[in-house]
């Protein structure tokens, strides 16, 4: 029995009452101090807490050294601080893991990025202008498929993205094909290949392609191909486990980008609602190890890594999107590669330099304020 199966059945913890956030002193951690200072990064971490984020945990890997910092709290009721070892939901950072497995399968000759979705998932992408015969796997991975994002469906938003809806439906056992059907009820965002439009449906489909190509759950393939070889002990693709592994902090949401109004404890939820687009759990230390290995050439042959880093114009002026990988140009001219992720009560970002030698991963346990961009700028640009 693999690790995912062994941990899938733990029950949810009881949600706690909420009170005013407390700020605690930073905690530095790491077996070896990374060369160079992190004063600007420390200031940016504290600024996020001052802006209203309950708590922050960040890890930096530079060469063979690591540095970690925390601020704020992991539990608004008890004042317990965040931990550098916290597990948290990484949301769309999952997409880089999924894309890596697809590219490994291409390297093995099991599929081609130019294959159509129809070839792998016949009849699934049809309706209201969607046509899987005209969409390639490459277009799924770089978000140029035009397929409607099921998270934008008004019914889905009412059911899962409002406070009342989430609290009622947070433990729903959504099937990926049900989520796909929601997308197919809507018109495409654009024609295939016409433009970039970020759509979580793309990576739901990519996960299903992995399952069709391998005969295994996509999470088991991520386990076998990435998590186990890299010894990512805090990383998993949970099935129906609704709680987080320990150590972890509570996750909080206001279901709005505002510092006013009630704060909800949203820690427990069924992660299958996100599936291949955002189902995973990890830690800052594991994410820095993953992106360092990926950009350092340890997970993909040179040709596939080049494909992953071939980008298209995205919706953000300062970044371009590859295959599950974002190329971000910082204010000082430095380019970092990685992905961000947001899900109920959790905002995360993980990036690394092109050679994989300088990596950072950060998580906020609140989803309404603060800037992970500011922390990345501070670490790589010193401001």
């Amino acid at each position: 029995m693999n690790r995912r199966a062994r941990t899938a059945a733990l029950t949810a913890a009881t949600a706690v009452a909420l009170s005013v956030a407390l700020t605690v002193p930073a905690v530095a951690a790491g077996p070896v101090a990374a060369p160079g200072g992190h004063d600007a990064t420390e200031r940016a971490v504290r600024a996020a807490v001052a802006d209203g984020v309950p708590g922050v945990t960040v890890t930096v890997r530079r060469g063979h050294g690591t540095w970690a910092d925390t601020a704020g709290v992991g539990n608004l009721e008890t004042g317990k601080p965040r931990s550098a070892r916290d597990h948290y939901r990484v949301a769309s950072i999952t997409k880089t893991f999924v894309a890596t497995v697809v590219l490994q399968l291409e390297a093995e000759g099991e599929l081609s990025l130019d294959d159509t979705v129809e070839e792998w998932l016949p009849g699934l992408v049809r309706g209201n202008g969607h046509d899987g015969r005209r969409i390639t796997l490459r277009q799924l991975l770089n978000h140029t498929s035009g397929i409607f994002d099921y998270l934008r469906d008004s019914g889905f938003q009412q059911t899962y993205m409002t406070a009342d809806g989430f609290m009622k439906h947070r433990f729903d056992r959504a099937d990926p094909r049900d989520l796909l059907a929601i997308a197919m009820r809507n018109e495409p965002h654009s024609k295939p290949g016409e433009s970039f439009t970020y759509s979580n449906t793309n990576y739901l489909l990519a996960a299903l392609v992995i399952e069709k190509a391998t005969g295994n759950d996509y999470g088991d393939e991520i386990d076998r191909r990435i998590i186990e070889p890299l010894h990512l002990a805090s990383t998993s693709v949970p099935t129906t486990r609704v709680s987080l592994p320990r150590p972890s902090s509570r996750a909080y949401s206001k279901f709005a980008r505002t510092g006013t109004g009630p704060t909800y404890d949203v820690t427990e939820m069924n992660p299958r609602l996100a599936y291949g687009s955002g189902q995973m759990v990890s830690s800052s230390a594991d994410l820095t190890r993953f992106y360092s290995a990926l950009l350092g050439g340890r997970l993909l042959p040179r040709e596939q890594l080049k494909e992953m880093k071939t980008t298209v114009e995205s919706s953000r002026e300062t970044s371009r999107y590859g295959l599950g990988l974002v190329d971000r140009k910082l204010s000082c001219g430095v380019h970092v590669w990685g992905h961000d992720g947001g899900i109920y009560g959790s905002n995360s970002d993980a990036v690394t330099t092109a050679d994989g030698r300088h990596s950072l991963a950060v998580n906020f346990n609140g989803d309404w304020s603060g800037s992970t961009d500011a922390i990345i700028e501070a670490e790589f640009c010193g401001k």
Side-chain angles (χ1 to χ4, degrees):
M1 181 181 292
N2 62 33
R3 177 159 47 86
R4 293 180 61 247
R6 290 195 300 268
T7 60
L10 293 186
T11 58
T14 302
V16 300
L18 306 177
S19 61
V20 178
L22 303 174
T23 303
V24 299
V27 176
V32 184
H38 304 277
D39 291 350
T41 310
E42 288 184 22
R43 289 193 297 271
V45 166
R46 276 143 195 76
V49 174
D51 191 45
V53 175
V56 181
T57 182
V58 60
T59 296
V60 173
R61 178 183 298 269
R62 190 184 295 170
H64 296 294
T66 62
W67 171 88
D69 189 31
T70 66
V73 297
N75 189 312
L76 291 174
E77 182 182 54
T78 66
K80 179 182 177 181
R82 293 219 63 181
S83 167
R85 297 176 57 243
D86 269 355
H87 297 77
Y88 51 82
R89 302 190 192 282
V90 303
S92 286
I93 292 173
T94 301
K95 292 180 173 67
T96 310
F97 287 81
V98 170
T100 299
V101 172
V102 172
L103 286 162
Q104 287 178 343
L105 290 170
E106 184 197 46
E108 295 162 11
E110 298 296 328
L111 54 75
S112 167
L113 293 179
D114 296 322
D115 290 345
T116 66
V117 175
E118 180 73 12
E119 290 176 64
W120 287 99
L121 305 171
L124 282 188
V125 181
R126 295 289 178 86
N128 291 310
H130 291 97
D131 187 349
R133 295 171 296 184
R134 300 174 55 212
I135 299 168
T136 66
L137 302 187
R138 187 191 310 275
Q139 290 167 341
L140 293 182
L141 298 184
N142 67 13
H143 294 293
T144 61
S145 70
I147 295 173
F148 184 83
D149 183 357
Y150 70 89
L151 263 64
R152 299 192 192 188
D153 178 79
S154 59
F156 183 92
Q157 291 180 348
Q158 185 65 34
T159 301
Y160 295 109
M161 300 174 74
T162 63
D164 289 345
F166 176 82
M167 291 305 190
K168 182 178 179 180
H169 295 282
R170 67 199 304 183
F171 303 130
D172 285 3
R173 302 184 67 167
D175 184 90
R177 284 169 173 76
D178 294 335
L179 300 175
L180 180 59
I182 292 173
M184 295 300 104
R185 290 201 294 264
N186 296 270
E187 294 182 357
H189 294 303
S190 62
K191 295 179 180 178
E194 184 176 72
S195 61
F196 172 93
T197 305
Y198 193 88
S199 174
N200 290 281
T201 312
N202 287 324
Y203 277 77
L204 183 157
L205 288 163
L208 293 177
V209 169
I210 291 171
E211 292 175 353
K212 187 67 175 290
T214 65
N216 300 317
D217 185 275
Y218 88 95
D220 290 338
E221 289 297 314
I222 289 175
D223 262 353
R224 183 174 70 85
R225 295 168 175 270
I226 301 174
I227 294 174
E228 293 176 1
L230 294 182
H231 305 291
L232 305 180
S234 298
T235 304
S236 62
V237 189
T239 51
T240 56
R241 174 178 181 165
V242 300
S243 60
L244 290 169
R246 294 180 180 180
S248 60
S249 293
R250 308 304 295 178
Y252 300 103
S253 180
K254 290 184 180 294
F255 292 96
R257 292 291 293 181
T258 176
T260 61
T263 303
Y264 300 88
D265 186 317
V266 295
T267 311
E268 282 80 34
M269 60 169 287
N270 190 333
R272 296 281 284 189
L273 289 171
Y275 207 62
S277 69
Q279 192 172 345
M280 293 182 67
V281 168
S282 191
S283 68
S284 293
D286 272 12
L287 290 178
T288 60
R289 188 177 299 118
F290 166 63
Y291 280 103
S292 291
L294 178 62
L295 272 294
R298 292 176 55 194
L299 292 173
L300 292 173
R302 183 177 301 177
E303 180 180 346
Q304 276 67 40
L305 185 57
K306 182 180 178 181
E307 291 273 15
M308 186 176 239
K309 295 173 69 176
T310 301
T311 60
V312 297
E313 184 177 345
S314 76
S315 54
R316 296 177 63 178
E317 185 177 340
T318 57
S319 66
R320 294 177 61 86
Y321 203 94
L323 305 183
L325 192 66
V326 179
D327 173 17
R328 189 181 313 183
K329 183 179 180 181
L330 304 181
S331 62
C332 56
V334 171
H335 283 256
V336 291
W337 296 83
H339 213 292
D340 60 351
I343 197 168
Y344 313 97
S346 179
N347 276 337
S348 307
D349 220 326
V351 296
T352 190
T353 49
D355 58 7
R357 294 181 180 178
H358 187 181
S359 306
L360 174 149
V362 58
N363 172 259
F364 297 166
N365 64 331
D367 59 18
W368 63 87
S369 63
S371 172
T372 57
D373 286 343
I375 292 172
I376 291 169
E377 285 276 344
E379 175 63 28
F380 291 91
C381 296
K383 57 182 181 180

